[in-house]
Structure formats: C-alpha cells, structure tokens
C-alpha cells in the first residue's frame, strides 16, 4: 500500500485541473504578448484567470500578478517592498518558511535592513504585544505567515494587520499553506501582500500569484519584457495559470466540505495515535488555532530515531519531519528548534488532503507501531 501524507509539501494534481490544462495546451499556443489572433486568445485566457482569482479573494484584477510560485512571490514582496519604500527595519519570526527567512537574512547581511524577530511561544503563536513594540519606533516591513508549514499553528492575521496599520508598517503574509483552505478577503484584511503556490492546492507546480494592494507601488523583482503590466518579465506560463485558476476556484467551491472531511481525518489520526504511548504534539492542538491539514507528532526517544522517516518510506508511507536542531550540531527543523522542541525526540509531520482516507491512516498507525517497536 502506498500512502501519501506529505500534502504540506505538495499535493496531487486534481483531475479536473489536469483536464483544464490539457485543453489549454491543445488550443492556446500563441505568445500572450503578440498582437495577432493567437496571441490575443492567449492573453484573454490569462486575464480570465486573473479575474477569477481576484473575485475569489475580493481583490481587483489589477492587484493580481502571476509568478513561478510562492518563493518568487515572497521574494518579490520582501525585496521589492523594502527597496521601493526605503525601509530599514524588518520584522519576522524564527518559525517562518525559508523563502522568507533566508531572503530577509540575506538583506540583513548585505546591510540593507536591520532584522528583528518577534517572540513565539512553544506552540508557535506570535506574541502580538512584542510585535507592536518592535514596530512602534520606525516604519517597518512585517512578514508573518498565516499558518506555519510545519506546525500548522494559525496566526491571527487580522490582528497583525490592525497593528501594522496603526504603525504604518507594510504587511506581507505568506498564505501558501492556507490559500484555498480558508477564505481570504483582502477588503477586510489589512495586508499589502498575499502569496499563493498552485501546487499546494491540487494545482500544477511552477506557478503562483502575488496579491499586491493598490495602496502600494513597488518595483519589479524580475526585469525583462512588459509582461504582468511591467511587474514581472518573462513569457507567461499560460497552462499553469489556467490550472492555478481552476484549482483555486475548485478549492473555494468545495472548501466547507473539504474542511469538514480533512479535519475528520486529522481528528481520527489523533484518536488512533493515542494507542502509541509517549507521543506529544507540536503546535496548537485546538482545531480553531491550527490548520486542519497538518499534524506534527513527536515520538519517544528511540534508537535509530533518524531512521524513522526512512522506515516509514520502506513501508510505503510518505511523510516529512525531523528533530529540532541540537546546538547547531545537526541540520534539523529550525521551526521545532524555535519552539523549544526536544531535539532527542524524532518528529513527523503528517499532512492531509481531500484524497486522504481513514484506511490509509489505519495502515500508517499499524506501520508506526512496528517501526517504533524496533
């Protein structure tokens, strides 16, 4: 049996998305920048997708820009946002994705910014009072994710937005893990940048988008042609863009049903894991404070702990994880280290999708018991 429980890394392509992309591949092959008929057809397809996405998150189509994925979108928001406004201070947390952390650290190393880290507790919750303290003295750039990609802990981005507005900070929110899983309404969120990667919501790899509020004007990250209204040079990935729009549209249409279904799977796995002594959970256990697609589990100390994921793979189970870094002596999870997880306990992130079944969870629990008994 093959079981895929690594949906936070990437998801299975939805069959309806594939059909949409194949139809586009077969019928739309003009360059969208060309003024002839074939080019105009391709351009029309892109603008239709842009309008679809904009409507779903209550944005204007002019605020949606297509990218190669979440990492490019994060870099565009951070590098272009900071540079365009001459901001010298940035705030993030040590539990952010490396697309954010490494970008900000690189800018700090080159002397462009001073970087501060907002405190997080042992569940990964952001200390909002500390955030306000950090940004109260000078205009800052704040980059905090909606849901942590390892722990699943949700950040109250409405509250963060209020704090940022109060102190005139630019707010970039990495919504890669939550786009398509929760509704995002940019008319209510006080956020300047949101990002999306299609492959996290059953769309194709290599395409995403960034929402840039009309309140801000930034310079492009990638220069070249006049594509994306002079904001992102390079011929557009029309097949990927069509797949992205279809995937997000499907996700919004089925959102409530899938949340109930997937939360049920997560709850069921927690119930079954209770039969394994000594396990603990990383991140928030309250379903209202945790992304329903992610469950991070620490297992008891054991010999050959570093072989846990390998042994699961041998059993046909795909998951991800690792332990917290131990005094910099090993390359582990910077997120688990930041929340003070025990570095001697192996941790596994199980992440679910609409395709995950209870039978797969039962199989996984059975194999886990065998592996841990070694």
């Amino acid at each position: 049996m093959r079981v895929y429980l690594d949906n936070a890394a990437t998801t299975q392509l939805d069959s309806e998305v594939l059909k949409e992309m194949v139809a586009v591949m077969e019928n739309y092959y003009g360059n969208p920048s060309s003024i002839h008929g074939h080019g105009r057809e391709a351009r029309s397809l892109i603008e239709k997708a842009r309008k679809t996405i904009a409507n779903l998150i209550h944005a204007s189509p002019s605020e949606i820009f297509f990218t190669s994925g979440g990492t490019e979108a994060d870099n565009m928001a951070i590098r272009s946002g900071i540079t365009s406004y001459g901001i010298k201070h940035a705030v993030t947390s040590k539990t952010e994705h490396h697309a954010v952390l490494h970008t900000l650290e690189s800018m700090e190393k080159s002397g462009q910014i001073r970087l501060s880290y907002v405190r997080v507790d042992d569940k990964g919750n952001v200390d909002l009072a500390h955030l306000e303290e950090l940004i109260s003295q000078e205009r800052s750039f704040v980059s905090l994710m909606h849901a942590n990609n390892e722990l699943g802990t949700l950040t109250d981005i409405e509250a963060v937005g209020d704090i940022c507005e109060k102190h005139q900070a630019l707010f970039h929110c990495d919504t890669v893990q939550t786009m398509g899983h929760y509704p995002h309404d940019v008319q209510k969120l006080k956020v300047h940048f949101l990002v999306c990667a299609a492959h996290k919501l059953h769309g194709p790899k290599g395409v995403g988008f960034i929402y840039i509020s009309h309140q801000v004007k930034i310079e492009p990250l990638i220069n070249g042609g006049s594509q994306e209204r002079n904001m992102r040079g390079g011929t557009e990935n029309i097949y990927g863009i069509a797949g992205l729009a279809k995937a997000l549209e499907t996700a919004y249409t089925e959102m409530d049903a899938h949340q109930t279904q997937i939360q049920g799977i997560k709850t069921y796995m927690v119930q079954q894991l209770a039969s394994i002594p000594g396990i603990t959970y990383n991140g928030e256990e309250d379903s209202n404070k945790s992304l329903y697609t992610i469950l991070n589990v620490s297992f008891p100390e054991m010999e050959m702990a570093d072989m846990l994921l390998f042994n699961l793979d041998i059993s046909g189970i795909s998951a991800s994880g690792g332990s917290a870094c131990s005094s910099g002596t090993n390359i582990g999870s910077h997120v688990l280290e930041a929340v003070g997880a025990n570095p001697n306990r192996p941790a596994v992130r199980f992440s679910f999708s609409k395709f995950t079944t209870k039978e797969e969870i039962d199989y996984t629990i059975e194999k886990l018991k065998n592996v841990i008994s070694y």
Side-chain angles (χ1 to χ4, degrees):
M1 189 173 185
R2 295 290 295 172
V3 177
Y4 186 73
L5 295 176
D6 200 19
N7 290 279
T10 195
T11 56
Q12 178 183 339
L13 189 67
D14 188 285
S15 60
E16 292 302 312
V17 173
L18 178 59
K19 289 179 184 177
E20 181 82 7
M21 293 176 66
V22 170
V24 173
M25 290 177 187
E26 292 176 341
N27 297 291
Y28 296 83
Y29 45 86
N31 189 316
S33 296
S34 299
I35 61 173
H36 51 58
H38 288 83
R40 293 195 304 272
E41 288 176 349
R43 169 59 53 196
S44 176
L45 181 85
I46 291 173
E47 297 313 317
K48 178 183 176 183
R50 196 188 314 276
K51 184 176 181 180
T52 295
I53 292 168
N55 287 341
L56 290 171
I57 66 171
H58 302 282
S60 165
S62 63
E63 295 174 306
I64 304 298
F65 300 88
F66 294 113
T67 68
S68 63
T71 295
E72 182 192 329
D74 283 335
N75 271 261
M76 185 176 184
I78 294 168
R79 292 187 182 278
S80 297
I82 288 173
T83 302
S84 297
Y85 282 86
I87 294 173
K88 300 301 180 183
H89 178 232
V91 178
T92 191
S93 79
K94 291 189 176 181
T95 58
E96 298 300 305
H97 190 279
H98 280 146
V100 168
L101 277 179
H102 287 173
T103 302
L104 288 167
E105 288 166 356
S106 172
M107 296 186 76
E108 180 186 43
K109 186 176 181 181
S110 65
Q112 294 173 265
I113 58 168
R114 177 173 59 86
L115 182 59
S116 299
Y117 298 97
V118 64
R119 288 190 292 264
V120 296
D121 65 16
D122 60 358
K123 300 292 186 181
N125 294 294
V126 172
D127 185 334
L128 296 180
H130 187 222
L131 171 64
E132 183 159 17
E133 179 185 329
L134 288 173
I135 67 173
S136 63
Q137 300 301 314
E138 60 183 306
R139 191 174 195 191
S140 303
F141 186 97
V142 174
S143 183
L144 293 170
M145 66 198 336
H146 186 197
N148 187 270
N149 58 295
E150 291 192 31
L151 304 176
T153 299
L154 289 165
T155 295
D156 185 349
I157 57 176
E158 290 188 13
V160 173
D162 289 340
I163 293 170
C164 288
E165 181 184 55
K166 178 180 177 181
H167 297 285
Q168 297 184 319
L170 288 188
F171 178 27
H172 158 245
C173 187
D174 182 342
T175 45
V176 164
Q177 289 294 337
T178 59
M179 191 66 69
H181 294 299
Y182 296 99
H184 292 87
D185 185 347
V186 297
Q187 296 299 315
K188 297 178 181 178
L189 289 174
K190 296 169 183 176
V191 63
H192 299 98
F193 308 96
L194 291 180
V195 303
C196 172
H199 72 103
K200 302 291 189 177
L201 50 120
H202 305 289
K205 294 174 179 61
V207 65
F209 73 83
I210 179 172
Y211 157 80
I212 304 176
S213 169
H214 62 78
Q215 297 176 357
V216 295
K217 303 294 180 184
I218 64 173
E219 296 297 316
L221 177 69
I222 297 177
N223 292 290
S226 59
Q227 294 89 353
E228 292 303 287
R229 301 185 305 287
N230 293 301
M231 278 298 293
R232 201 271 187 183
T235 301
E236 298 92 338
N237 174 7
I238 60 173
Y239 319 127
I241 289 169
L244 164 60
K246 180 65 175 179
L248 192 61
E249 185 175 43
T250 301
Y252 265 75
T253 300
E254 302 174 347
M255 189 177 290
D256 291 342
H258 285 161
Q259 179 168 357
T260 300
Q261 174 194 349
I262 300 169
Q263 181 64 60
I265 290 290
K266 179 177 178 177
T267 301
Y268 181 73
M269 187 165 196
V270 170
Q271 293 169 346
Q272 301 309 303
L273 282 168
S275 62
I276 301 176
I279 65 169
T280 57
Y281 296 98
N282 302 303
E284 281 286 357
E285 295 179 47
D286 184 340
S287 61
N288 293 317
K289 297 180 180 180
S290 179
L291 176 59
Y292 55 89
T293 60
I294 292 177
L295 181 66
N296 194 302
V297 185
S298 278
F299 291 90
E301 296 182 30
M302 64 183 78
E303 292 186 20
M304 304 293 286
D306 57 342
M307 296 293 288
L308 177 56
L309 286 172
F310 176 77
N311 286 323
L312 286 175
D313 187 33
I314 292 297
S315 298
I317 300 163
S318 297
S320 62
S323 62
C325 305
S326 177
S327 303
T329 58
N330 68 318
I331 300 175
S333 165
H334 70 284
V335 173
L336 292 177
E337 180 183 23
V339 299
N342 185 341
N344 297 315
R345 301 186 65 177
V348 179
R349 179 190 68 182
F350 300 103
S351 47
F352 320 104
S353 81
K354 62 184 180 181
F355 297 116
T356 309
T357 67
K358 286 186 176 181
E359 290 73 20
E360 290 175 327
I361 300 303
D362 289 338
Y363 177 81
T364 300
I365 297 297
E366 175 191 343
K367 295 302 178 182
L368 271 170
K369 290 179 178 178
N370 293 337
V371 168
I372 292 172
S373 67
Y374 285 168

PDB file of all heavy atoms in Angstrom, residues 41-59:
ATOM      1  N   GLU A  41      -5.823  35.484 -28.068  1.00  0.00           N
ATOM      2  CA  GLU A  41      -6.551  34.393 -27.406  1.00  0.00           C
ATOM      3  C   GLU A  41      -5.842  33.982 -26.112  1.00  0.00           C
ATOM      4  O   GLU A  41      -6.484  33.752 -25.080  1.00  0.00           O
ATOM      5  CB  GLU A  41      -6.665  33.194 -28.355  1.00  0.00           C
ATOM      6  CG  GLU A  41      -7.630  33.398 -29.506  1.00  0.00           C
ATOM      7  CD  GLU A  41      -7.628  32.225 -30.453  1.00  0.00           C
ATOM      8  OE1 GLU A  41      -6.734  31.363 -30.335  1.00  0.00           O
ATOM      9  OE2 GLU A  41      -8.523  32.165 -31.320  1.00  0.00           O
ATOM     10  N   ALA A  42      -4.513  33.877 -26.189  1.00  0.00           N
ATOM     11  CA  ALA A  42      -3.739  33.507 -25.002  1.00  0.00           C
ATOM     12  C   ALA A  42      -3.844  34.589 -23.935  1.00  0.00           C
ATOM     13  O   ALA A  42      -3.989  34.303 -22.738  1.00  0.00           O
ATOM     14  CB  ALA A  42      -2.284  33.260 -25.381  1.00  0.00           C
ATOM     15  N   ARG A  43      -3.782  35.857 -24.377  1.00  0.00           N
ATOM     16  CA  ARG A  43      -3.908  36.961 -23.428  1.00  0.00           C
ATOM     17  C   ARG A  43      -5.280  36.950 -22.750  1.00  0.00           C
ATOM     18  O   ARG A  43      -5.394  37.160 -21.545  1.00  0.00           O
ATOM     19  CB  ARG A  43      -3.700  38.286 -24.172  1.00  0.00           C
ATOM     20  CG  ARG A  43      -4.054  39.561 -23.407  1.00  0.00           C
ATOM     21  CD  ARG A  43      -3.275  39.711 -22.141  1.00  0.00           C
ATOM     22  NE  ARG A  43      -1.841  39.595 -22.378  1.00  0.00           N
ATOM     23  CZ  ARG A  43      -0.941  39.395 -21.433  1.00  0.00           C
ATOM     24  NH1 ARG A  43      -1.336  39.246 -20.179  1.00  0.00           N
ATOM     25  NH2 ARG A  43       0.350  39.295 -21.730  1.00  0.00           N
ATOM     26  N   SER A  44      -6.299  36.669 -23.524  1.00  0.00           N
ATOM     27  CA  SER A  44      -7.654  36.624 -22.980  1.00  0.00           C
ATOM     28  C   SER A  44      -7.771  35.539 -21.909  1.00  0.00           C
ATOM     29  O   SER A  44      -8.437  35.724 -20.887  1.00  0.00           O
ATOM     30  CB  SER A  44      -8.658  36.368 -24.105  1.00  0.00           C
ATOM     31  OG  SER A  44      -9.966  36.235 -23.595  1.00  0.00           O
ATOM     32  N   LEU A  45      -7.117  34.406 -22.142  1.00  0.00           N
ATOM     33  CA  LEU A  45      -7.139  33.307 -21.176  1.00  0.00           C
ATOM     34  C   LEU A  45      -6.504  33.743 -19.855  1.00  0.00           C
ATOM     35  O   LEU A  45      -7.032  33.463 -18.774  1.00  0.00           O
ATOM     36  CB  LEU A  45      -6.395  32.107 -21.751  1.00  0.00           C
ATOM     37  CG  LEU A  45      -6.350  30.866 -20.857  1.00  0.00           C
ATOM     38  CD1 LEU A  45      -7.605  30.039 -21.057  1.00  0.00           C
ATOM     39  CD2 LEU A  45      -5.120  30.038 -21.153  1.00  0.00           C
ATOM     40  N   ILE A  46      -5.375  34.419 -19.928  1.00  0.00           N
ATOM     41  CA  ILE A  46      -4.683  34.888 -18.728  1.00  0.00           C
ATOM     42  C   ILE A  46      -5.551  35.870 -17.950  1.00  0.00           C
ATOM     43  O   ILE A  46      -5.674  35.775 -16.723  1.00  0.00           O
ATOM     44  CB  ILE A  46      -3.337  35.538 -19.104  1.00  0.00           C
ATOM     45  CG1 ILE A  46      -2.364  34.473 -19.623  1.00  0.00           C
ATOM     46  CG2 ILE A  46      -2.723  36.257 -17.900  1.00  0.00           C
ATOM     47  CD1 ILE A  46      -1.074  35.036 -20.185  1.00  0.00           C
ATOM     48  N   GLU A  47      -6.162  36.801 -18.673  1.00  0.00           N
ATOM     49  CA  GLU A  47      -6.974  37.811 -17.988  1.00  0.00           C
ATOM     50  C   GLU A  47      -8.233  37.206 -17.378  1.00  0.00           C
ATOM     51  O   GLU A  47      -8.710  37.659 -16.328  1.00  0.00           O
ATOM     52  CB  GLU A  47      -7.316  38.946 -18.946  1.00  0.00           C
ATOM     53  CG  GLU A  47      -6.102  39.713 -19.446  1.00  0.00           C
ATOM     54  CD  GLU A  47      -5.128  40.108 -18.333  1.00  0.00           C
ATOM     55  OE1 GLU A  47      -5.603  40.552 -17.254  1.00  0.00           O
ATOM     56  OE2 GLU A  47      -3.910  39.949 -18.510  1.00  0.00           O
ATOM     57  N   LYS A  48      -8.760  36.170 -17.993  1.00  0.00           N
ATOM     58  CA  LYS A  48      -9.896  35.459 -17.408  1.00  0.00           C
ATOM     59  C   LYS A  48      -9.491  34.802 -16.092  1.00  0.00           C
ATOM     60  O   LYS A  48     -10.227  34.861 -15.087  1.00  0.00           O
ATOM     61  CB  LYS A  48     -10.419  34.409 -18.388  1.00  0.00           C
ATOM     62  CG  LYS A  48     -11.588  33.587 -17.847  1.00  0.00           C
ATOM     63  CD  LYS A  48     -12.014  32.509 -18.841  1.00  0.00           C
ATOM     64  CE  LYS A  48     -13.119  31.632 -18.251  1.00  0.00           C
ATOM     65  NZ  LYS A  48     -13.503  30.533 -19.179  1.00  0.00           N
ATOM     66  N   ALA A  49      -8.314  34.168 -16.087  1.00  0.00           N
ATOM     67  CA  ALA A  49      -7.815  33.526 -14.871  1.00  0.00           C
ATOM     68  C   ALA A  49      -7.559  34.568 -13.787  1.00  0.00           C
ATOM     69  O   ALA A  49      -7.864  34.357 -12.605  1.00  0.00           O
ATOM     70  CB  ALA A  49      -6.539  32.751 -15.177  1.00  0.00           C
ATOM     71  N   ARG A  50      -6.990  35.694 -14.183  1.00  0.00           N
ATOM     72  CA  ARG A  50      -6.707  36.760 -13.219  1.00  0.00           C
ATOM     73  C   ARG A  50      -8.004  37.257 -12.564  1.00  0.00           C
ATOM     74  O   ARG A  50      -8.063  37.478 -11.352  1.00  0.00           O
ATOM     75  CB  ARG A  50      -6.002  37.914 -13.932  1.00  0.00           C
ATOM     76  CG  ARG A  50      -5.321  38.898 -12.974  1.00  0.00           C
ATOM     77  CD  ARG A  50      -4.789  40.139 -13.702  1.00  0.00           C
ATOM     78  NE  ARG A  50      -4.062  39.843 -14.910  1.00  0.00           N
ATOM     79  CZ  ARG A  50      -2.777  39.508 -14.968  1.00  0.00           C
ATOM     80  NH1 ARG A  50      -2.096  39.410 -13.846  1.00  0.00           N
ATOM     81  NH2 ARG A  50      -2.187  39.267 -16.124  1.00  0.00           N
ATOM     82  N   LYS A  51      -9.029  37.429 -13.381  1.00  0.00           N
ATOM     83  CA  LYS A  51     -10.322  37.897 -12.862  1.00  0.00           C
ATOM     84  C   LYS A  51     -10.942  36.865 -11.928  1.00  0.00           C
ATOM     85  O   LYS A  51     -11.508  37.221 -10.879  1.00  0.00           O
ATOM     86  CB  LYS A  51     -11.265  38.207 -14.011  1.00  0.00           C
ATOM     87  CG  LYS A  51     -12.600  38.804 -13.571  1.00  0.00           C
ATOM     88  CD  LYS A  51     -13.473  39.194 -14.761  1.00  0.00           C
ATOM     89  CE  LYS A  51     -14.786  39.800 -14.299  1.00  0.00           C
ATOM     90  NZ  LYS A  51     -15.654  40.185 -15.457  1.00  0.00           N
ATOM     91  N   THR A  52     -10.824  35.587 -12.275  1.00  0.00           N
ATOM     92  CA  THR A  52     -11.355  34.520 -11.427  1.00  0.00           C
ATOM     93  C   THR A  52     -10.717  34.565 -10.047  1.00  0.00           C
ATOM     94  O   THR A  52     -11.406  34.518  -9.015  1.00  0.00           O
ATOM     95  CB  THR A  52     -11.101  33.142 -12.076  1.00  0.00           C
ATOM     96  OG1 THR A  52     -11.848  33.048 -13.288  1.00  0.00           O
ATOM     97  CG2 THR A  52     -11.508  32.010 -11.134  1.00  0.00           C
ATOM     98  N   ILE A  53      -9.387  34.656 -10.018  1.00  0.00           N
ATOM     99  CA  ILE A  53      -8.653  34.674  -8.745  1.00  0.00           C
ATOM    100  C   ILE A  53      -8.988  35.925  -7.949  1.00  0.00           C
ATOM    101  O   ILE A  53      -9.229  35.870  -6.739  1.00  0.00           O
ATOM    102  CB  ILE A  53      -7.140  34.572  -9.010  1.00  0.00           C
ATOM    103  CG1 ILE A  53      -6.806  33.182  -9.554  1.00  0.00           C
ATOM    104  CG2 ILE A  53      -6.332  34.873  -7.748  1.00  0.00           C
ATOM    105  CD1 ILE A  53      -5.415  33.057 -10.129  1.00  0.00           C
ATOM    106  N   ALA A  54      -9.020  37.062  -8.634  1.00  0.00           N
ATOM    107  CA  ALA A  54      -9.329  38.321  -7.961  1.00  0.00           C
ATOM    108  C   ALA A  54     -10.704  38.273  -7.308  1.00  0.00           C
ATOM    109  O   ALA A  54     -10.885  38.702  -6.158  1.00  0.00           O
ATOM    110  CB  ALA A  54      -9.243  39.474  -8.952  1.00  0.00           C
ATOM    111  N   ASN A  55     -11.679  37.744  -8.008  1.00  0.00           N
ATOM    112  CA  ASN A  55     -13.034  37.657  -7.464  1.00  0.00           C
ATOM    113  C   ASN A  55     -13.085  36.777  -6.217  1.00  0.00           C
ATOM    114  O   ASN A  55     -13.816  37.071  -5.262  1.00  0.00           O
ATOM    115  CB  ASN A  55     -14.003  37.117  -8.520  1.00  0.00           C
ATOM    116  CG  ASN A  55     -14.312  38.117  -9.612  1.00  0.00           C
ATOM    117  OD1 ASN A  55     -14.112  39.319  -9.434  1.00  0.00           O
ATOM    118  ND2 ASN A  55     -14.802  37.638 -10.742  1.00  0.00           N
ATOM    119  N   LEU A  56     -12.299  35.705  -6.214  1.00  0.00           N
ATOM    120  CA  LEU A  56     -12.325  34.775  -5.085  1.00  0.00           C
ATOM    121  C   LEU A  56     -11.794  35.406  -3.812  1.00  0.00           C
ATOM    122  O   LEU A  56     -12.277  35.104  -2.713  1.00  0.00           O
ATOM    123  CB  LEU A  56     -11.528  33.509  -5.426  1.00  0.00           C
ATOM    124  CG  LEU A  56     -12.150  32.593  -6.480  1.00  0.00           C
ATOM    125  CD1 LEU A  56     -11.175  31.498  -6.889  1.00  0.00           C
ATOM    126  CD2 LEU A  56     -13.455  31.975  -5.987  1.00  0.00           C
ATOM    127  N   ILE A  57     -10.780  36.271  -3.928  1.00  0.00           N
ATOM    128  CA  ILE A  57     -10.209  36.882  -2.725  1.00  0.00           C
ATOM    129  C   ILE A  57     -10.651  38.349  -2.568  1.00  0.00           C
ATOM    130  O   ILE A  57     -10.112  39.073  -1.742  1.00  0.00           O
ATOM    131  CB  ILE A  57      -8.673  36.769  -2.700  1.00  0.00           C
ATOM    132  CG1 ILE A  57      -8.025  37.592  -3.809  1.00  0.00           C
ATOM    133  CG2 ILE A  57      -8.236  35.308  -2.774  1.00  0.00           C
ATOM    134  CD1 ILE A  57      -6.498  37.684  -3.676  1.00  0.00           C
ATOM    135  N   HIS A  58     -11.625  38.753  -3.384  1.00  0.00           N
ATOM    136  CA  HIS A  58     -12.216  40.096  -3.303  1.00  0.00           C
ATOM    137  C   HIS A  58     -11.188  41.197  -3.588  1.00  0.00           C
ATOM    138  O   HIS A  58     -11.186  42.254  -2.938  1.00  0.00           O
ATOM    139  CB  HIS A  58     -12.873  40.312  -1.938  1.00  0.00           C
ATOM    140  CG  HIS A  58     -13.942  39.306  -1.631  1.00  0.00           C
ATOM    141  ND1 HIS A  58     -15.213  39.384  -2.176  1.00  0.00           N
ATOM    142  CD2 HIS A  58     -13.916  38.186  -0.868  1.00  0.00           C
ATOM    143  CE1 HIS A  58     -15.926  38.353  -1.736  1.00  0.00           C
ATOM    144  NE2 HIS A  58     -15.167  37.608  -0.963  1.00  0.00           N
ATOM    145  N   ALA A  59     -10.328  40.927  -4.556  1.00  0.00           N
ATOM    146  CA  ALA A  59      -9.341  41.902  -4.995  1.00  0.00           C
ATOM    147  C   ALA A  59      -9.749  42.463  -6.354  1.00  0.00           C
ATOM    148  O   ALA A  59     -10.704  41.995  -6.986  1.00  0.00           O
ATOM    149  CB  ALA A  59      -7.962  41.248  -5.097  1.00  0.00           C
TER     150      ALA A  59
END
